Amino acid sequence: MSAPPARRRFLRPALRSASSRFAILGMALALALPAAAGPLRDRIEARRAAQAQGTEAPTDELNGDDGRPAGNAELPAGVVRIADVAYGPDPRQRFDVYRPARGEGAPVLVMVHGGAWRIGDKGARGVVANKVAHWVPRGFVFVSVNYRLLPQADPLQQASDVARALAAVQAKAAGWGGDPAKVALMGHSAGAHLAALLGAAPALAEKAGARPWLGTVSLDSAALDVERIMAARHYRFYDAAFGADPAYWRAVSPTQALVAGAPPLLLVCSSIRPDQPCAQAHDFARRAQALGVRAEVAEQARSHKQINEELGTPGDYTARVDAFLSSLDAAVAKRLELR
């Protein structure tokens, strides 16, 4: 039996107040967790920080969606999914391939999910759905990569995983109708940091057997200058990722790792986040340009979550990424002329 209208009017603010009290209690408990509960505390802190930014949801939506996989039933017509291709012995060292049912010589996009270096999955809808729907029907192969996570692997080891995946994609691409010479690397959030690190210092990828790729798209990384982040006030989950050693900060920082000869980079950044990732993106671009490396910044008035999940939907944002990809290779540009 439903409550009468007057009672419902009374209950709504009370429920909102109770919800607020539970949220405050949860934050207080997270802050009060003992050192022995460090991993749990770091996970809660990562999620709370994302919520404070108004950018990401508190569970598996750190990927930019509700965490449910984009299964075969949701694939556009003519798209074939090859699941869990191994590029290493660990269960996390797997990627999914989305390819056109027919065709050859296809450009390849390699996507690296986010999740504070600690959570996330290659099959999350926000990572995959709109991107596959946009690029695969235009004749691209789309590959979504998993990698080992904290605490099993630190970000430098995670970058090595992504490099191994990139090398495996290049080795196997022809079997999916792809062109191993027309590969672009893309990542969101923590995955954007990993992609940008490899893009800034391609020798890291070469150690894993990867060959040069066309270019790199970083989707809203706020960790381009790790040394600067760690030397100032920062979210606790960065400590779990980057530790306390300044030498490690420099080694895992795309800005410090950047070398002449790096492939072109597009740095997409949210202009509405309070931690101002666009400032880091512009600093990175200036450093790159001084080294003769092509780097472009694309500011978006979108949340961190939206930058991930809305890429591939019609509009200026997707068109901006397409324009960058088109500029890398004439054959890629031709595929993107199809509308």
Side-chain angles (χ1 to χ4, degrees), residues 46 63 136 173 190 230 241 247 278 291 327:
N63 270 319
V136 178
M230 300 306 291
C278 290
L291 292 170
S327 74

Side-chain angles (χ1 to χ4, degrees), residues 68 76 113 167 329:
R68 286 181 291 172
H113 70 77
D329 182 86

